[in-house]
Amino acid sequence: MKKIIAKLKMPAVFGLALGLLFCAAGARADALAPFKGEKGTIKISGGTAHIPVMKEMAKRIMRFNPKIRISLAGGGSGVGIRQVGEGLVNIGNSGRRPTANEIEKYHLSLFRWAVDGVAVAVNPKNPVRDLSKSQLKKIFSGQIENWKELGGEDRSINLYTRDKASGTRAVFWKKALDKGEISPRANFVPSNGAMKSAIATDPGGIGYLSAGNLDKSVAAVAIEGVEPSLKNIKSGVYKISRSLFSNTKGTPGGLTKKFIDYLYSPAGQRLIAEKGFIPVAR
Amino acid sequence: MKPAPAAEKLFFGAALFSASISLFILLFMVVLGLPLFKDGFFLRLFTDPWRPDHGLYGISAMIAGTLGVSFLALVLALPLSLGCAILISIIRPPVFGRLLEKTVQFMTGIPTVVLGFVGVFLLVPFIREQFGHGSGRCLLTAALVLAVLIAPTMILFFCDSFSRIPASWLRAADALGCTPMEKFRHVILPNSLQGLAGGTILAMGRAVGDTMIALMLAGNAVAAPHALLDPARTLTAHIALVVAADFDSLEFKIIFACGLLLYAITLAMTLLIRGLDRGNGGRTW
């Protein structure tokens, strides 16, 4: 008998935890209310900087109403724009503004909901925390090859870059490197997440990623003495920044519209700020 | 027993259907890659570097990457696989042999992304710290993991070709007082060469076609590798990375050239195996 009671205790603890969770959810119920009674799927792909925010939103919405399924994929800004344009997904995210050509060809509606920095990051073991713009250009073009030359330890510099579908790359290339050369020996990684794990595991690594995606596993580098902090990005002192967009084909309706409305709701804007981005009102 | 006419027709239809699919894929790639054949552009694919920002779209570095990674994997896996196959089907230690065989069979089913994942967290840091140079994402790392991928295929294929040697020949060798190794050298090996070659080519095909391992472990740099510790980009990884580009861009069309090349390599290997089989066909035991 005792055993049975012991067994019952565990679910009780879980129940309590779940209850607390629902209480927390209750506080957000206002913003989620439009999703009540809905069902269907929302497919999202594209920019990988958007993923932390999108993932948390999807979790909240699907927990509130399990009849709604939200699928989330990466691929990069170029993929997001193309897939939404071709009707493969409902929302195509991009970490850059779609070009005039893309907007016209696919009849895109643009929803800009955050400002995000593109931060240069190194491994936390690397003592180098500040680079000038000309040093950065020399590093990425392959002219500086050892951390020793920059005041670090004697270790080769391993470059990590993204492919052309990446909005993060486009912004970094234009605003940090002034469209300068990226060494052909640089390693390519396919997403912001992969960039983070590559740098986190490589003591000689350097790369660039969404400032909102930064965490303790990597160390952000100040450019010309300016750190890619939220404050500096917001004030414009940190220059390497961009807007995050969610794009739809034509004017969104139904669930897709409600999803985008949530981004601009007080709860959505709070979430965007929590994830390390600067929310932008509609 | 001869199958019923209806069943025969059904099977014939199925065979025709699947054969035509692979032909249609070829046709699809040729048609979509057609713009590349104009103005001698196709030749420039093999001479230019990959610099899309400068209008240069050469894929010779990726061809070098593919060949480098898969040959190295083969060189690493071949002796290992041969040794394993000899242990499993000729020396046959009672418990360990069975265990090894089961393990190898199990290994054929491991998804490549799992191997890649393990490689990223274990092998990449190891290689980097051992050699103290580069990022650890290089030709050698990818080839080592690729060798693990293709070894089971080779081992099972080799075991199979060893076991096709007629039992009477082996008994004759035993009767002459051969040790197991003598039996292997003089009876089994000379009569299973075609099987060995077939297994090797099959494994090579698998190494050339694999995407995930090279994508995760080889670094994907666009310069051709010159040393074992240099990063490399394979044709398959190149397709995976470039497929995200704008559909109308020339960059995207290059994918079809890569696809055609891979198709040609696979075709060449298949023909090689066929040729070997034909050589074997005249023989009766």
Side-chain angles (χ1 to χ4, degrees):
Chain A
M1 193 60 200
K2 257 186 185 171
K3 259 188 187 166
I4 294 173
I5 291 171
K7 265 186 190 164
L8 280 173
K9 265 183 191 161
M10 276 310 283
V13 172
F14 274 124
L16 196 68
L18 219 65
L20 284 173
L21 221 64
F22 276 122
C23 285
R28 298 195 291 250
D30 296 347
L32 289 167
F35 292 100
K36 201 171 178 183
E38 286 278 356
K39 63 177 176 186
T41 58
I42 309 173
K43 283 186 251 170
I44 305 168
S45 76
T48 54
H50 306 57
I51 287 179
V53 170
M54 295 277 145
K55 205 159 128 188
E56 178 61 28
M57 266 178 70
K59 209 156 82 187
R60 286 181 187 179
I61 294 166
M62 290 195 287
R63 192 181 290 148
F64 177 76
N65 181 352
K67 282 190 178 144
I68 300 173
R69 305 305 309 169
I70 300 174
S71 74
L72 186 55
S77 302
V79 173
I81 291 168
R82 198 172 84 223
Q83 290 194 340
V84 75
E86 287 169 358
L88 297 172
V89 295
N90 304 103
I91 298 173
N93 291 324
S94 64
R96 59 170 173 83
R97 176 178 280 277
T99 62
N101 184 18
E102 284 166 337
I103 296 173
E104 194 194 348
K105 187 164 86 181
Y106 295 135
H107 308 290
L108 295 180
S109 298
L110 276 51
F111 297 93
R112 173 171 173 263
W113 50 264
V115 172
D116 176 28
V118 175
V120 176
V122 294
N123 190 276
K125 281 186 206 144
N126 190 332
V128 178
R129 288 288 187 279
D130 191 353
L131 293 169
S132 72
K133 230 175 153 180
S134 78
Q135 280 174 325
L136 194 65
K137 282 184 203 167
K138 279 184 185 157
I139 292 171
F140 273 89
S141 64
Q143 282 166 278
I144 300 180
E145 289 185 315
N146 198 303
W147 285 110
K148 203 169 52 181
E149 294 170 59
L150 299 160
E153 56 179 311
D154 182 10
R155 197 179 258 288
S156 67
I157 296 178
N158 301 321
L159 299 173
Y160 291 93
T161 187
R162 296 273 307 277
D163 49 279
K164 265 193 98 181
S166 160
T168 312
R169 173 199 164 109
V171 172
F172 178 78
W173 184 60
K174 199 167 130 197
K175 296 191 175 169
L177 301 182
D178 299 326
K179 302 196 177 181
E181 202 78 3
I182 294 180
S183 164
R185 291 176 50 80
N187 293 293
F188 279 71
V189 287
S191 69
N192 270 299
M195 180 65 89
K196 199 163 64 183
S197 64
I199 297 169
T201 55
D202 184 350
I206 184 169
Y208 51 86
L209 71 157
S210 149
N213 281 233
L214 284 171
D215 61 25
K216 286 205 177 70
S217 67
V218 295
V221 175
I223 305 297
E224 303 281 359
V226 184
E227 279 177 39
S229 64
L230 274 183
K231 195 172 130 254
N232 288 342
I233 297 166
K234 196 170 184 175
S235 66
V237 184
Y238 186 81
K239 295 270 181 340
I240 315 164
S241 66
R242 40 74 182 272
S243 299
L244 298 185
F245 293 86
S246 285
N247 309 297
T248 60
K249 193 179 173 73
T251 317
L255 267 179
T256 307
K257 180 178 181 301
K258 287 180 180 174
F259 188 88
I260 285 170
D261 286 345
Y262 185 88
L263 276 171
Y264 293 108
S265 72
Q269 298 269 299
R270 240 185 347 260
L271 167 66
I272 294 167
E274 272 166 32
K275 293 290 175 189
F277 304 98
I278 298 149
V280 173
R282 199 190 289 256
Chain B
M1 206 171 82
K2 209 173 179 307
E8 204 171 337
K9 264 184 199 151
L10 191 73
F11 289 134
F12 179 75
L16 197 70
F17 181 68
S18 43
S20 60
I21 282 180
S22 68
L23 272 179
F24 274 123
I25 290 174
L26 178 65
L27 200 70
F28 165 77
M29 285 192 297
V30 170
V31 168
L32 283 171
L34 216 53
L36 296 173
F37 290 97
K38 284 178 196 153
D39 315 327
F41 186 83
F42 198 73
L43 285 176
R44 280 181 47 206
L45 285 180
F46 300 100
T47 51
D48 283 350
W50 179 261
R51 287 276 170 88
D53 296 334
H54 297 74
L56 299 171
Y57 299 96
I59 53 170
S60 57
M62 292 79 192
I63 299 171
T66 288
L67 295 179
V69 169
S70 33
F71 267 118
L72 189 59
L74 202 64
V75 167
L76 292 166
L78 185 58
L80 205 75
S81 307
L82 200 58
C84 268
I86 292 171
L87 193 73
I88 289 172
S89 59
I90 295 164
I91 303 176
R92 295 197 201 180
V95 180
F96 182 68
R98 288 285 296 163
L99 199 70
L100 191 65
E101 194 180 356
K102 288 287 160 214
T103 311
V104 168
Q105 279 168 359
F106 167 73
M107 275 172 72
T108 54
I110 298 179
T112 60
V113 67
V114 173
L115 291 175
F117 192 71
V118 172
V120 165
F121 286 100
L122 296 178
L123 195 60
V124 167
F126 179 77
I127 297 274
R128 179 176 59 231
E129 297 311 321
Q130 283 308 302
F131 296 96
H133 166 80
S135 66
R137 290 166 190 250
C138 60
L139 200 64
L140 179 65
T141 311
L144 279 168
V145 177
L146 210 51
V148 174
L149 174 76
I150 63 175
T153 312
M154 285 163 93
I155 295 170
L156 294 179
F157 212 89
F158 292 174
C159 284
D160 187 48
S161 71
F162 291 160
S163 65
R164 273 198 308 239
I165 308 286
S168 59
W169 294 17
L170 299 179
R171 278 198 297 274
D174 285 338
L176 288 170
C178 286
T179 64
M181 276 334 280
E182 282 170 344
K183 192 165 71 178
F184 175 71
R185 264 202 54 200
H186 298 293
V187 181
I188 299 174
L189 194 60
N191 290 297
S192 53
L193 280 180
Q194 272 144 352
L196 294 183
T200 308
I201 294 169
L202 200 72
M204 180 79 184
R206 202 157 176 220
V208 167
D210 183 71
T211 312
M212 228 37 221
I213 287 175
L215 187 64
M216 292 174 87
L217 300 173
N220 304 315
V222 292
H226 296 290
L228 287 183
L229 295 177
D230 277 354
R233 182 186 285 206
T234 62
L235 284 168
T236 47
H238 189 57
I239 293 179
L241 286 165
V242 175
V243 80
D246 189 0
F247 192 80
D248 293 326
S249 65
L250 199 54
E251 217 179 330
F252 187 81
K253 300 216 162 62
I254 302 294
I255 288 179
F256 297 102
C258 296
L260 277 173
L261 266 170
L262 284 168
Y263 200 100
I265 295 173
T266 320
L267 190 71
M269 297 203 174
T270 315
L271 289 177
L272 249 166
I273 297 181
R274 284 279 166 76
L276 288 169
D277 265 0
R278 191 163 304 150
N280 200 15
R283 217 162 187 159
T284 45
W285 301 119

